[in-house]
Amino acid sequence: MSSDQDHLKETDTEARFEFKKEQKSSFQAEKGLTEETIRVISEDKDEPEWMLQRRLRALKQFQKMPMPTDWPGQPDLSEVDVDEIVPYIRPDVETRGGVDDWTDLPDDIKDTFDKLGIPEAEKNALSGVGAQYESEVVYQNMQEQWEEKGVIFCNMDKAVQEHEEIVKEYFMTKCVPPSDNKFAALHGAIWSGGSFVYVPEDVTVEMPVQAYFRMNSEGMGQFEHTLIVAEKGSEVHYIEGCSAPKYSAFNLHSGGVEVFVGEDAHVQYSTVQNWSKNTYNLNTKRAIVEKNGRMEWISGSMGSKATMLYPASILKGRGASDNHITIAFAGEGQNIDTGAKVYHNAPETKSTIESKSISKDGGRTNYRGLVHIANGAKNSSTSVECDALMFDNESTSDTMPYMEINESTVDVAHEATVGKIGDEDVFYLQSRGLDDDDAKQMIVSGFIEPITEELPIEYAVELNRLVELEMEGSLG
């Protein structure tokens, strides 16, 4: 093992996420959301006219749509005031669109990603890496062997310029239109950065690609857009990491993800989100899956003040399948509202949803899900399993599954369990030499193992460590 790897493994995980850098930028938009702000952002990016017009249409939709306030048990969003958010900060980097060598970054930004372990992960386990700082991608690289096979992995701003026809066809037109919800409209108006992944027919990208999104400035919003197009018979695993230091003012994360899974293609989308406890995490993620295609969502959500996140899959073609695995952790003052949506729109489609949630110190977790099986989606099947673990009587965990079944020849299963960490379990482990904290940590590790075993080993270790820190109350 190299000395760099030794250093990363010995580095305290809390220190790797909680550090702050001096706020520097080469351009910063004014607070709030106006047509002038949209035009300034679009001009700064030198975007084509069609993208500006899509932004302006999304702005009009955002202004007309009400804030979601009537969902049973939803997080309190009264503090979210878009007029108090800085929507766009271009970091102080000479090369627009990102560099392909870490040493070309300014020292403060390079040090940020060094602390997060991204360059080391790139060396050992990834086919490509993108790194976003504030509102723009500052580093982007793809192994040459995949570029030679026609795989594209670049930032979204570059994709708008260099792969215009593909982006114009897929960007917020079929999967996540701005009309979907208020925060999708907000995203469509002021999106910036993010990843574009295109995998040609019958190409399997054997190692994952990763994008990492870091908010550093107080009171800003981050609105990255991820667009993945996997053609017929292709395969790719995309990993997303997110973090931010804690400030007194609230931050807003409202990303957008669109995934197109072609016939017989397979896409796995894994995300470990570790936002600070002043961040509102309000994302919209969706996939469209064609005949015999397979979509997998693996999500870990923790750290934010409030999260509303429900990745969705539309099973459009016969034999399409979807698998959701989710873990959520809520501590004091946190309301983590997560779940999944699956639309069975064709025969012989299959979905499985597995949700794990942990709450302590008065925190609240909630599984909110929807399974819709359309008339004519014969011989389809779905299985939903929700397990919740609570540390104390002050914490809460709810399950809100919705089933809309419009076809009779289907197989539907749902199971939900809620439990507390039992004194007898802790006592048993203590009798084997563990102290109270280590015993509880072992119980939680076993509880989330079905999720961590689906991740590459580096990320499984990181997720376990983040959960451990949340149990200690150390993060954000």
Side-chain angles (χ1 to χ4, degrees):
M1 183 181 294
S2 70
S3 59
D4 285 341
Q5 287 174 291
D6 284 329
H7 172 70
L8 281 173
K9 290 187 178 295
E10 292 169 1
T11 298
D12 183 89
T13 305
E14 180 183 357
R16 287 175 58 190
F17 291 102
E18 286 297 282
F19 64 90
K20 303 174 183 177
K21 293 291 184 180
E22 180 184 352
Q23 298 176 22
K24 299 179 181 178
S25 65
S26 58
F27 178 81
Q28 178 171 319
E30 297 293 328
K31 283 184 179 181
L33 184 60
T34 64
E35 179 175 331
E36 180 60 27
T37 300
I38 302 304
R39 291 184 178 277
V40 167
I41 292 173
S42 187
E43 181 180 358
D44 188 63
K45 293 176 176 291
D46 193 26
E47 290 180 339
E49 179 66 19
W50 65 265
M51 179 57 79
L52 171 60
Q53 293 306 315
R54 287 193 188 183
R55 288 182 182 275
L56 294 175
R57 287 195 296 270
L59 173 63
K60 290 180 179 179
Q61 287 178 315
F62 171 78
Q63 292 169 335
K64 289 188 292 186
M65 299 173 79
M67 184 76 79
T69 58
D70 57 353
W71 293 16
Q74 74 166 67
D76 179 8
L77 303 181
S78 59
E79 187 183 16
V80 179
D81 183 354
V82 175
D83 289 333
E84 293 300 316
I85 282 287
V86 177
Y88 177 65
I89 299 176
R90 172 153 51 86
D92 190 13
V93 178
E94 291 184 6
T95 305
R96 294 297 298 270
V99 300
D100 60 7
D101 188 327
W102 291 106
T103 61
D104 291 336
L105 288 173
D107 289 343
D108 59 332
I109 296 179
K110 180 179 180 298
D111 182 63
T112 294
F113 291 105
D114 280 341
K115 282 186 167 69
L116 295 168
I118 308 305
E120 193 63 33
E122 180 182 18
K123 292 178 190 175
N124 297 312
L126 300 170
S127 294
V129 166
Q132 179 160 332
Y133 192 83
E134 312 295 32
S135 298
E136 291 204 348
V137 171
V138 295
Y139 174 87
Q140 191 86 41
N141 194 30
M142 185 78 182
Q143 288 185 6
E144 188 175 335
Q145 61 174 313
W146 304 117
E147 291 181 343
E148 290 174 350
K149 293 183 179 181
V151 177
I152 301 170
F153 178 44
C154 67
N155 69 73
M156 273 303 302
D157 293 303
K158 183 177 181 180
V160 170
Q161 304 290 345
E162 298 187 5
H163 308 285
E164 184 173 356
E165 291 308 310
I166 300 177
V167 175
K168 194 172 184 178
E169 177 183 356
Y170 289 104
F171 182 89
M172 301 194 79
T173 56
K174 308 172 184 180
C175 205
V176 182
S179 58
D180 186 80
N181 63 76
K182 189 173 183 68
F183 290 101
L186 172 66
H187 174 87
I190 53 177
W191 75 272
S192 183
S195 299
F196 174 70
V197 180
Y198 175 83
V199 187
E201 187 173 333
D202 293 326
V203 172
T204 296
V205 183
E206 294 167 357
M207 292 192 296
V209 295
Q210 183 192 25
Y212 200 96
F213 303 99
R214 177 73 175 181
M215 271 195 292
N216 180 68
S217 295
E218 181 175 14
M220 76 164 290
Q222 193 173 68
F223 307 95
E224 81 285 347
H225 191 89
T226 298
L227 174 60
I228 300 174
V229 180
E231 298 284 16
K232 180 179 179 180
S234 65
E235 186 169 344
V236 66
H237 181 188
Y238 179 90
I239 298 176
E240 171 191 80
C242 314
S243 67
K246 184 179 180 180
Y247 290 101
S248 56
F250 81 93
N251 282 28
L252 174 62
H253 177 249
S254 186
V257 175
E258 300 182 287
V259 183
F260 294 86
V261 185
E263 182 178 340
D264 294 311
H266 175 204
V267 175
Q268 180 174 328
Y269 194 109
S270 302
T271 180
V272 178
Q273 299 192 341
N274 178 41
W275 299 110
S276 59
K277 290 183 175 65
N278 62 298
T279 299
Y280 287 83
N281 184 27
L282 310 170
N283 283 359
T284 305
K285 298 183 175 185
R286 188 168 299 149
I288 295 177
V289 190
E290 302 291 348
K291 179 181 177 181
N292 294 325
R294 183 155 58 105
M295 181 68 203
E296 294 184 79
W297 300 95
I298 301 175
S299 305
S301 297
M302 61 196 73
S304 63
K305 183 171 184 177
T307 287
M308 296 177 72
L309 176 60
Y310 323 99
S313 290
I314 301 170
L315 305 182
K316 181 181 177 183
R318 180 186 293 269
S321 65
D322 172 82
N323 182 35
H324 279 80
I325 302 176
T326 303
I327 178 172
F329 191 107
E332 182 181 1
Q334 293 179 281
N335 191 337
I336 309 300
D337 202 285
T338 60
K341 298 179 181 179
V342 186
Y343 300 86
H344 293 254
N345 290 348
E348 300 173 19
T349 51
K350 180 180 180 181
S351 66
T352 59
I353 299 171
E354 184 176 4
S355 172
K356 301 276 189 179
S357 64
I358 304 162
S359 54
K360 68 183 289 284
D361 298 333
R364 178 182 183 270
T365 60
N366 181 44
Y367 168 80
R368 192 187 302 270
L370 168 66
V371 175
H372 173 89
I373 301 182
N375 183 28
K378 297 180 182 295
N379 301 318
S380 294
S381 64
T382 184
S383 173
V384 181
E385 181 179 347
C386 304
D387 298 319
L389 188 64
M390 295 184 293
F391 274 69
D392 48 62
N393 293 329
E394 291 73 36
S395 300
T396 58
S397 180
D398 297 312
T399 302
M400 299 180 181
Y402 297 87
M403 299 281 191
E404 298 176 349
I405 312 300
N406 299 320
E407 173 60 51
S408 58
T409 56
V410 296
D411 186 8
V412 177
H414 176 262
E415 178 183 348
T417 62
V418 178
K420 289 177 62 179
I421 290 183
D423 292 339
E424 64 278 7
D425 296 327
V426 175
F427 178 77
Y428 173 79
L429 293 172
Q430 286 177 325
S431 71
R432 296 297 185 268
L434 298 179
D435 63 22
D436 183 74
D437 289 341
D438 287 341
K440 291 178 179 177
Q441 175 60 35
M442 180 170 286
I443 292 170
V444 170
S445 294
F447 180 72
I448 66 173
E449 185 178 3
I451 293 174
T452 57
E453 67 184 7
E454 296 292 330
L455 291 169
I457 184 63
E458 295 86 353
Y459 301 94
V461 170
E462 194 69 73
L463 181 58
N464 270 309
R465 179 59 180 145
L466 288 172
V467 170
E468 181 181 342
L469 287 168
E470 288 285 359
M471 289 173 60
E472 296 170 358
S474 300
L475 285 179

